[in-house]
Structures are given as C-alpha cells and as structure tokens.
C-alpha cells in the first residue's frame, strides 16, 4: 500500500509513469532517483520499509548489463575479472556486499543481489520474533552522511526467515552469496545467550553461505558484554557445535564458515581477547565493524544526541583502523569483512589494504540509492588496477607489507 501511495504522489509531481511504474524497471532504471525527494521527506524507517517493499515486488533496478564488459581506467582490465574473489573456498562475483540490517527478514534477497552486490547478509535474525525498540528509532544526519539507529534486533524470528532462505536454495539457487547474521532475543538472560545463538544457527545453517554471530549491537542491553573473553568463547563454542550438529551429514569443509561481528568501541585488551578467542576456536572470520556509540566527527545537538549506534561516514576511518588492528592481531590468518562508511571505491580500497577480503555497505545505499553499488565496484577496480594489483586478493593487507 505504501509503495502505491508513493507512486501515485510521484505521478502528481510530474514523474513520468514509465519511470514511476514497474514496466521498465528491468535494467538499471532506478526508481529511487525521481522518488528520492519523497522518500527523504518520510521518516527514515518508513522510507526504508518502502524501499525494501519496492525491491521485494520487483521495483528495484538491476545492474546494467554493460557492467559485464566494463574495463578499468588505467590498463583496460575487465572489471569483473579484477573483482572476482574467492574467500572461504566460495566464489564471490565481487567483494562488495550489503551489510546486515537492510533486509532483516530475508524478504528481498534476490532483487538486492541483482543490484550488483556480490553478497547480501540478512538479519540479525533472533530465535523468536520480537518487535525491537519503540519508534522512532532511526535518525538521519545528512550533513554528516550518517544514520543513528536503535532498532534493537527487530526480527520476524527464525520461523519466518527459515522458509524464505530455504526457497532461495531451490532450482539454481541464489545469484550470489547469502550470509545469515544471528542475534539473541532481548529477554534472554545473558548467561543463556549461547543457547539463543545456537538455536538460530541450528535452524538456519543449512541455508547460509556464511554465518555471523552478532555480539556487538549497542541497542540490546548487555549484548556487547558478550565480547568479553569468557563469554565470547562460550557463545562461539556453542555456535560452532550447533552448526556441526545441524550439518553433520555435510563434509566439514562444505559447512558455512562462522564469523563474529565486533564493535568499534573496544579497548586494546578487548581486541586482544577477541583475537585470542577467534584463533583458539578457529573461527573462520570477523565482520568489522558494527555501529559506534561515539559521536566523534558529528556536530553535537539535535538528532546527534539520540541514543543508538552511528553508521556512515563518521565511522569510516575508525572501522578501517580496527580492520587493520585485528588483521595484525590475527597475523592476517582470519578473513575480514570490512564494514563502516563505505561510499566510494577509495573507501572500499582502504579497507582492503587494511586487511579486509570483502567489504559491505548500508548507509551509502540509504542515501545514494542502488547506483552507488556499481560506482563503488568500478572505483575499487580502478584503485586496484592503478596500484598494480590484478585482483582483490593481491591487495588484501597491502598496508601491512609496506617496507
């Protein structure tokens, strides 16, 4: 209903019906361009709901077919070849993904992949449905290129998400990699958190290309305490056991890797403890980072004073620095998905050089629309080619190899 209302308003504003309607949205026509003033006039959560609903019913653009033959600016290398990546033994058509939080309940995975993302991470999914925190709970800071949210793991729960993920595996399967990010229910005591994560993994592991244990959202009371050494080890041990039990019939090498998502607001001791647990338990990867409770780089007052996690441009440098630090603490042995402030090819490239094998975005998509995906990918390929790298893998951790 909300999508139809916005389309009707677009027509009243003189937006051509061929743009506002679905008939031509097949190859790179971006409905959000003429509708962006309308979406920006809505509260952020409503705008996000409409955008996701539009994608779900086929009103989102597909990446233009010309990208398949695009070449880099310096040496004319095929962009697709430069970006093609293999991580955890899985092929990613490109290393630029959509971070968790955009499609929490896996309602529009295929259309989102069709925008050009190499992977989509759904969730966070909790074992039982929960509404999250009261609205309003999302706030724009356009002058800073940032968003504050305090969603609080609003989730349809595994019972709603599991059949949608299962449906993606029918036929040829999804057109890209699908990660599943899991969280605990708000009313689950912290000392029982491991059971919640294990329950979600048991239900969803069979439908995931990788799994992410989210212990770093600032919007669930006590959650970040799970990043402490003993609690983190307990949670991750239970998650790995749940995955292995649920997929006992699957060869170990073919089971989805387990990653842990960490916060940017950590002490040096916290980081060392996390690195130690990750290596001790042979955790397959890290997602770095979640939103921040810091307001550094944002003018105080107004929306900036809202409680919640900050994402977008102000987080970029801190998240990239944390990628570099965790890469160093794990001696480059643990693949990293770099998240936080990715809006350009240079942003993505900085995270790759810092140690990220893959990168993911969210806030830039909210502000700039689907066209940002292709721009980031082309920009990343041009950066790699400019500096003499034939592919992403060659550049991962390059800043650590400087003489």
């Amino acid at each position: 209903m909300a999508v139809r209302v916005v389309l009707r308003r677009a027509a009243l504003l003189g937006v051509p019906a061929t743009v506002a309607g679905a008939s031509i949205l097949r190859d790179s026509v971006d409905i959000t361009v003429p509708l962006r003033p309308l979406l920006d006039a809505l509260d952020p959560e409503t705008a996000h709901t409409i955008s996701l609903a539009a994608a779900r019913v086929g009103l989102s653009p597909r990446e233009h077919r010309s990208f398949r033959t695009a070449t880099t600016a310096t040496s004319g290398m095929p962009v697709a070849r430069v970006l093609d990546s293999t991580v955890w033994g899985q092929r990613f058509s490109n290393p630029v993904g959509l971070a968790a939080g955009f499609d929490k309940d896996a309602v529009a995975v295929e259309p989102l992949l069709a925008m050009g993302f190499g992977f989509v991470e759904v969730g966070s999914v909790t074992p039982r449905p929960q509404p999250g925190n009261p609205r309003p709970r999302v706030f724009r800071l356009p002058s800073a290129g940032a968003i504050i949210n305090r969603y609080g793991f609003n989730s349809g729960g595994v019972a709603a998400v599991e059949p949608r993920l299962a449906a993606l595996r029918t036929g040829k399967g999804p057109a890209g990699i699908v990660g599943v990010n899991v969280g605990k229910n708000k009313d689950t005591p912290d000392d029982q958190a491991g059971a919640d994560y294990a329950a979600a993994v048991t239900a969803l592991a069979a439908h995931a290309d990788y799994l992410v244990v989210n212990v770093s959202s600032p919007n669930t009371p006590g959650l970040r305490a799970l990043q402490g050494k003993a609690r983190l080890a307990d949670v991750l041990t239970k998650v790995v056991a749940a995955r292995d039990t649920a997929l006992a019939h699957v060869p170990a090498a073919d089971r989805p890797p387990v990653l842990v998502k960490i916060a940017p607001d950590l002490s040096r001791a916290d980081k060392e403890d996390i690195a130690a647990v990750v290596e001790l338990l042979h955790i397959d990867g890290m997602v770095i980072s979640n939103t921040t409770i810091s307001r550094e780089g944002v003018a105080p007052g107004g929306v900036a004073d809202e409680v919640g996690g900050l994402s977008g441009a102000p987080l970029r440098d801190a998240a990239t620095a944390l990628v570099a630090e965790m890469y160093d603490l794990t001696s480059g042995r643990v693949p990293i998905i770099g998240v936080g402030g990715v809006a350009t090819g240079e942003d993505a490239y900085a995270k790759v050089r810092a140690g990220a094998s893959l990168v993911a975005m969210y806030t830039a998509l909210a502000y700039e629309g689907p066209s940002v995906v292709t721009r980031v990918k082309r920009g990343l390929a041009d950066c790699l080619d400019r500096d003499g790298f034939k592919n992403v893998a060659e550049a991962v951790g390059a800043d650590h190899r400087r003489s």
Side-chain angles (χ1 to χ4, degrees):
M1 178 64 72
V3 175
R4 288 198 295 271
V5 170
V6 170
L7 292 177
R8 275 201 302 274
R9 291 180 180 175
L12 291 173
L13 289 175
V15 177
T18 52
V19 174
S23 60
I24 64 168
L25 290 175
R26 293 190 176 88
D27 212 27
S28 82
V29 177
D30 186 352
I31 192 174
T32 68
V33 173
L35 298 185
R36 185 148 296 279
L38 287 172
L39 293 172
D40 289 346
L42 299 171
D43 75 88
E45 185 166 355
T46 299
H48 174 243
T49 300
I50 289 172
S51 298
L52 192 60
R56 185 177 188 178
V57 299
L59 294 179
S60 57
R62 301 175 64 87
E63 183 169 68
H64 197 277
R65 64 175 66 91
S66 64
F67 184 78
R68 301 170 197 165
T69 56
T71 55
T72 57
T74 302
S75 64
M77 293 177 64
V79 169
R81 185 190 304 167
V82 174
L83 297 182
D84 191 86
S85 303
T86 299
V87 185
W88 305 299
Q90 302 181 45
R91 180 178 174 268
F92 292 72
S93 62
N94 71 82
V96 179
L98 179 59
F102 192 91
D103 189 1
K104 290 175 176 287
D105 292 328
V107 299
V109 174
E110 286 283 21
L112 293 170
L113 286 169
M115 289 181 188
F117 287 112
F119 61 101
V120 168
E121 188 175 309
V122 303
S124 295
V125 186
T126 55
R128 291 172 283 109
Q130 63 179 29
N133 293 322
R135 297 179 67 165
R137 52 192 181 182
V138 191
F139 309 90
R140 298 188 187 99
L141 293 86
S143 63
I147 290 173
I148 293 172
N149 92 80
R150 53 171 179 261
Y151 274 116
F153 282 174
N154 53 311
S155 173
V158 297
V161 174
E162 190 276 335
R164 296 180 190 135
L165 292 174
L168 291 172
R169 301 292 164 179
T170 60
K172 294 182 179 179
I177 298 295
V178 179
V180 179
N181 182 307
V182 298
K184 83 172 189 73
N185 283 106
K186 183 178 181 178
D187 60 0
T188 298
D190 291 346
D191 61 359
Q192 298 174 30
D196 255 23
Y197 287 100
V201 165
T202 297
L204 303 176
H207 315 307
D209 291 311
Y210 67 88
L211 295 158
V212 179
V213 179
N214 186 350
V215 290
S216 53
S217 169
N219 302 315
T220 297
L223 191 77
R224 286 191 165 187
L226 298 178
Q227 294 173 113
K229 192 171 186 178
R231 287 186 174 182
L232 183 62
D234 177 69
V235 168
L236 293 177
T237 297
K238 287 181 169 64
V239 164
V240 171
R243 178 203 60 183
D244 291 346
T245 300
L247 300 177
H249 60 289
V250 176
D254 295 332
R255 295 170 191 164
V258 170
L259 289 68
V260 61
K261 186 169 187 175
I262 66 174
D265 313 301
L266 297 167
S267 69
R268 176 66 181 186
D270 291 334
K271 298 167 192 174
E272 292 173 349
D273 285 347
I274 290 169
V277 171
V278 164
E279 295 216 276
L280 177 67
L281 299 181
H282 305 290
I283 298 304
D284 302 291
M286 294 178 286
V287 180
I288 304 173
S289 70
N290 215 315
T291 56
T292 180
I293 57 174
S294 169
R295 296 297 182 264
E296 186 175 347
V298 177
V303 169
D305 293 338
E306 292 287 348
V307 173
L310 178 78
S311 64
L315 176 59
R316 179 186 59 228
D317 293 346
T320 302
L322 183 56
V323 168
E325 196 168 1
M326 296 307 293
Y327 181 92
D328 185 58
L329 284 171
T330 56
S331 303
R333 291 188 290 263
V334 182
I336 292 169
I337 301 178
V339 189
V342 175
T344 68
E346 289 283 359
D347 297 336
Y349 183 51
K351 282 183 168 48
V352 170
R353 291 189 64 101
S357 298
L358 305 164
V359 299
M361 66 171 71
Y362 180 159
T363 303
L365 180 66
Y367 275 116
E368 301 184 40
S371 60
V372 72
V373 184
T374 298
R375 291 200 301 274
V376 169
K377 293 195 303 183
R378 294 198 68 151
L380 173 58
D382 283 340
C383 288
L384 291 163
D385 185 34
R386 177 196 67 204
D387 290 352
F389 298 111
K390 294 183 175 62
N391 52 54
V392 177
E394 288 186 359
V396 173
D399 287 346
H400 301 262
R401 300 191 291 270
R402 287 176 175 170
S403 56

